[in-house]
């Protein structure tokens, strides 16, 4: 079973895919090129859906984009737990807003974001009110969604 069939069989609702033109207009508007897996998901699989656990992958038109932040490179390469960081400062915290799009808000100040600019472009990262964490090993959007659908939620290399 391919990812599209698997997703359609497991989610409670999904939206029809967007057109390539919708994606290109978004990219032109914000002067960025989106990761290919993100484009593939939204143009070939669906424009957001309700996941089996009740969370939702946001529709393209629901993405909250700050034009001045989306064009900047996401500067992190490893996890950062700021609540335990003695060198914490507001400037560094603000940089967590650079070059990423929140795709899933799972509640309790926890989100899954796609990195769209910088060295980690194309990777899914976990954001909380206490820190940020990449998937370990790194996962693109399609592998991340497949893991979510398979209830393989070991994203942080703790096995």
């Amino acid at each position: 079973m391919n990812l599209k069939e698997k997703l359609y069989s497991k989610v409670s609702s999904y939206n029809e895919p967007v057109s390539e033109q919708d994606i290109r207009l978004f990219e032109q508007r914000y002067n960025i090129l989106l990761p290919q897996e993100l484009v593939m998901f939204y143009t070939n699989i669906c424009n957001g859906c309700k996941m089996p656990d009740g969370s939702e992958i946001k529709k393209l038109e629901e993405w909250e984009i700050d034009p001045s932040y989306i064009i900047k490179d996401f500067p992190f390469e490893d996890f950062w737990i700021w609540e335990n960081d003695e060198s914490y400062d507001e400037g560094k915290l603000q940089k967590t807003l650079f070059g990423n799009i929140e795709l899933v808000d799972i509640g309790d100040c926890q989100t899954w974001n796609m990195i769209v600019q910088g060295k980690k472009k194309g990777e899914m990262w976990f954001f909380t009110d206490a820190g940020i964490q990449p998937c370990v090993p790194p996962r693109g959007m399609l592998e991340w969604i497949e893991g979510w659908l398979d209830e393989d939620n070991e994203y942080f290399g703790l096995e």
Side-chain angles (χ1 to χ4, degrees):
M1 179 182 312
N2 68 33
L3 179 59
K4 185 175 183 175
E5 292 168 343
K6 184 185 289 189
L7 184 131
Y8 285 8
S9 73
K10 291 190 174 196
V11 301
S12 58
S13 66
Y14 60 89
N15 304 299
E16 291 299 315
V18 298
S19 68
E20 287 274 342
Q21 182 179 7
D22 292 331
I23 295 291
R24 299 305 161 225
L25 289 171
F26 178 90
E27 291 176 328
Q28 287 173 356
R29 179 176 180 191
Y30 294 105
N31 197 29
I32 65 169
L33 286 175
L34 294 171
Q36 190 55 42
E37 283 194 18
L38 183 67
V39 171
M40 189 172 144
F41 179 81
Y42 278 86
T43 59
N44 294 313
I45 298 176
C46 67
N47 178 25
C49 60
K50 188 163 186 131
M51 297 297 278
D53 65 359
S55 62
E56 294 185 33
I57 297 176
K58 293 181 178 185
K59 296 188 288 189
L60 174 68
E61 54 272 21
E62 295 174 336
W63 294 352
E64 297 174 17
I65 305 297
D66 182 319
S68 63
Y69 289 157
I70 194 70
I71 61 171
K72 295 180 180 178
D73 285 350
F74 183 73
F76 300 93
E77 295 186 35
D78 202 359
F79 73 93
W80 178 41
I81 308 301
W82 50 79
E83 71 175 9
N84 297 329
D85 187 351
E86 292 178 12
S87 66
Y88 165 87
D89 69 64
E90 287 295 322
K92 186 175 178 183
L93 183 63
Q94 186 175 23
K95 291 178 181 179
T96 64
L97 303 172
F98 294 177
N100 68 84
I101 297 172
E102 180 183 300
L103 296 180
V104 181
D105 181 346
I106 59 176
D108 295 327
C109 299
Q110 300 176 69
T111 64
W112 281 100
N113 297 30
M114 166 63 70
I115 308 305
V116 297
Q117 298 280 60
K119 290 182 181 178
K120 298 299 180 174
K121 181 176 181 173
E123 292 183 15
M124 293 294 291
W125 279 56
F126 186 62
F127 284 58
T128 73
D129 60 348
I132 57 175
Q133 165 79 47
C135 290
V136 177
R139 290 189 190 192
M141 184 173 188
L142 300 179
E143 185 180 4
W144 175 84
I145 288 172
E146 188 150 20
W148 194 302
L149 293 171
D150 291 343
E151 298 181 18
D152 169 18
N153 54 6
E154 186 52 60
Y155 295 110
F156 307 118
L158 301 173
E159 292 184 298

